Each structure stands twice: as structure tokens, then as C-alpha cells.
Amino acid sequence: MMRTFGTLAKVSSTALAGVMCLVLSGCADESSPAAKSAAADDSSSGETVKIMVGGLDKVIYLPAVLTQRLGYFKEEGVTVKLLSEPAGVQATTSLVSGDVQGVVGFYDHTLDLQVKGKQVESVVQLAQTPGEVEVVSREAAAGIASPKDFKGKKLGVTGLGSSTDFLTKYLAVKNGVKVSDFTPVAVGAGQTFISALEKGSIDGGMTTDPTVAQILAKNSGKVLVDMRTPEGARAALGGLYPASSLYMNTDWVNGHKDTVQKLANAMVKTLKWMSEHSPEEIADEMPGDYAQGGRELYVKAIANTLPMFTKDGVMPADGPKTVHEVLKSFNPNLKDATVDLKKTYTTEFVEKAAG
């Protein structure tokens, strides 16, 4: 449900690391004293895992950053470098190319990759719903009452081939609109999404908090479909739709089980911590510059998104089936392909973490 625009930019892994790497420790700016201090502390462990996140400041991926901030990776004895890509599809590309060992992004990519001959699995399921919201601009709202009105419209997604692209296509097809009848536009998230909406470059689009909260606060648009809660996901998608997850190449998982267990232990601790603390307390632990619309708005964004997260990292029982049904409704690669859902996730590590 992770989003550079148009065709993937061809950059070397070295350039990618130099430009996009954000070693989280206090804030996204490594030049800050807090960041340097925490980065030095993290390097005390002998093993390092690079994890690409489909947008570090997105609330839907908050557990990754929060785990780092709470010191749980360090407690487990593993150094984790969190890198950022604006779209989940680019994060997946980094995983397949071997630039990173893991991705915090949408589970649905594991199915898409399997039919392309790549075996990837979710090892910690962070969310049971997409946490995504379809919004429409204030100017276009009168002509878009539901996804049935998507025909002829320009709809923003974080990236072509991203989970927002997948879900937008599903909402269209489910409501009788062909994929070819509307135009997906890659506009990223955050300020680039808001700017596209306000300038009329898109009529609407799919995004997450804190972007949603900022749009509503500025009265730049309104909510059309809300998939932040289990109830909203069921209404829009027919069931729980496991989204944000830590997924990794299966071969790497099988060859590094001790390390994967440490990652799972840390993230399950975070999910439990989140379930026992208020949105205000969660916001207190996050980098200050993530609250671009102000602290009050950021707390509200966290509160609205919290229902999406699992408390134990376990895959919802019927979740993979729902994801499969959604994807094959519009994706010709999946429509007639055989997908072994049991190979797209494992509960081995989160069950041990909870035990």
C-alpha cells in the first residue's frame, strides 16, 4: 500500500546511498549533533542491515523510525540504517538489486514480485490496512462523488507501479471504470502531492498522513475513500488489506535467521509500545521536522492512522487472500498466474518475538 516520478531514474547504488541515505537517530538531518551521536552509538554493533523505507516521514511507516528512536534495534545488537525512497516501487527495486537487505513498504509487492520470478516475503506485518486516503481537490469535488466518477480524471499516485497506483486502479475497476479511462500521475507525497492538487495538475489522488491532515487543514480537498481503519478497508477493498511491512528476499532471510529475529524482536516491541501509548507520546519520540504542518496537526495525523497497525506483527489470517483478489482484478500479470500466498510471508519470527 509504499511511491521518483515517471520512469525509474537510472542511478548507481553509490549515488543512491549518497543522496537518499538517512541514518535515523534523532532527525533526518545527519549533520545535527543528535544524529551524529546516535549514529555513532548505533555503529557499536558488529552487524549492519540496510532497510529502505518508502518515505520515512509517512505515518504509515512510522514503526520503522520509531523502533530506531526507541533504541530497540540497538538493544537487540543490530545496526540498522534506514534509507528513504519516495515510492515503494523504488524501494523494491533497491531490494531486488541487492542494494539493501530489507524494505519497509507494502506487502502487495511480494505477490507482484513472485509472478516475476522473485521470492520475497514479509517477516513483520506492521499494518492490517493500507492507511491510504483517496482525496479530491476542492475544485474537482463537485464532479467526483465516488470512484465511479474517475473516468477522464487525472489521479495522483506516489509512483507508477506503486501500491497507491495498485489501489487506485482497483477502486476504479471495482466501480466500473476501466484502467485506461483515467490517467495516473506520479506526484510523490507530501508537498509535491499538495502542490499538484492545489495547482490542478491532478483532480484527486491517493496519499497518507501527515499529507492528508495538511490538505484538510488547508481546505485544499476532501476525503473520498478512507482506508486508514479496518472498517474503511473492508468497505473499500472487501477485507483487511495488510500493507506496511518489513519484507526481505527469502534467500537472505533463510541465510540470516538470527539477524532477522533481532529485527522482528525490535519491531514487535515497538508495535506493543505504540498500542500502549497516546498519539502525543508517539509524536514526542519522532523527529521534530516530521511535523511540517505543526505538532497539533501531526498528533492528529498519528491518531487517525493508529488503527491501521497490528499489535504483534502477525499477518491477518485473511489478509493475503484479499490482497490477491485486489491485485488480480486489474493486473494482467496476476490475473491468470498461480501465486503461492504462503511463500509471500512468514510468522516464524514475530511468533518467537511474542513468545
Side-chain angles (χ1 to χ4, degrees), residues 44-352:
S44 61
S45 171
E47 53 187 326
T48 300
V49 178
K50 290 185 289 184
I51 298 176
M52 187 69 77
V53 183
L56 282 168
D57 60 352
K58 295 178 184 176
V59 179
I60 59 171
Y61 299 139
L62 180 150
V65 180
L66 186 57
T67 303
Q68 189 85 293
R69 302 281 289 185
L70 292 173
Y72 289 159
F73 288 133
K74 184 179 178 182
E75 282 184 11
E76 291 295 325
V78 59
T79 298
V80 173
K81 292 186 178 181
L82 297 178
L83 317 177
S84 186
E85 271 284 12
V89 62
Q90 283 92 332
T92 299
T93 299
S94 296
L95 179 69
V96 172
S97 66
D99 290 337
V100 298
Q101 288 75 53
V103 168
V104 171
F106 270 36
Y107 160 74
D108 52 22
H109 289 293
T110 68
L111 280 70
D112 189 51
L113 286 168
Q114 188 181 112
V115 299
K116 295 175 180 177
K118 307 293 183 182
Q119 193 56 56
V120 174
E121 61 187 14
S122 167
V123 296
V124 182
Q125 194 58 47
L126 303 173
Q128 58 186 334
T129 75
E132 301 282 354
V133 178
E134 183 73 23
V135 298
V136 293
S137 71
R138 185 174 55 188
E139 291 72 19
I144 307 178
S146 80
K148 293 179 181 179
D149 302 316
F150 280 177
K151 187 174 182 179
K153 301 299 189 293
K154 294 175 293 183
L155 302 176
V157 297
T158 51
L160 301 182
S162 67
S163 294
T164 52
D165 191 19
F166 291 164
L167 290 172
T168 301
K169 288 175 178 176
Y170 174 75
L171 292 179
V173 170
K174 180 186 177 183
N175 288 276
V177 179
K178 296 178 182 178
V179 171
S180 59
D181 286 342
F182 69 93
T183 304
V185 183
V187 293
Q191 293 307 309
T192 57
F193 184 100
I194 294 172
S195 177
L197 194 71
E198 293 177 338
K199 291 179 179 179
S201 301
I202 56 174
D203 300 298
M206 191 170 293
T207 190
T208 62
D209 277 311
T211 306
V212 176
Q214 293 176 41
I215 289 171
L216 298 181
K218 296 172 69 176
N219 195 30
S220 298
K222 73 171 190 177
V223 173
L224 190 70
V225 180
D226 192 338
M227 295 175 284
R228 290 176 290 190
T229 66
E231 296 77 18
R234 290 188 180 100
L237 306 172
L240 291 179
Y241 192 97
S244 304
S245 66
L246 170 63
Y247 61 84
M248 314 178 90
N249 286 310
T250 300
D251 285 345
W252 197 91
V253 171
N254 291 337
H256 301 80
K257 288 199 171 188
D258 288 345
T259 300
V260 177
Q261 188 63 61
K262 292 175 182 179
L263 296 172
N265 292 345
M267 287 189 159
V268 170
K269 283 182 188 177
T270 298
L271 292 170
K272 185 175 186 296
W273 187 95
M274 289 171 61
S275 72
E276 298 171 346
H277 290 76
S278 68
E280 290 82 3
E281 290 171 317
I282 295 171
D284 286 342
E285 298 294 336
M286 298 299 288
D289 59 352
Y290 283 15
Q292 292 185 5
R295 176 181 164 77
E296 184 177 345
L297 206 58
Y298 187 56
V299 170
K300 184 177 181 180
I302 292 174
N304 288 337
T305 307
L306 275 179
M308 74 177 284
F309 295 111
T310 68
K311 296 180 181 181
D312 53 12
V314 175
M315 175 68 73
D318 296 331
K321 181 180 178 182
T322 301
V323 173
H324 189 209
E325 291 297 322
V326 167
L327 294 183
K328 71 180 185 180
S329 70
F330 65 84
N331 189 328
N333 293 329
L334 280 156
K335 188 173 183 179
D336 300 316
T338 299
V339 177
D340 188 344
L341 294 177
K342 291 182 180 179
K343 291 183 178 180
T344 61
Y345 70 96
T346 177
T347 60
E348 172 186 351
F349 302 98
V350 292
E351 287 175 353
K352 287 182 181 178

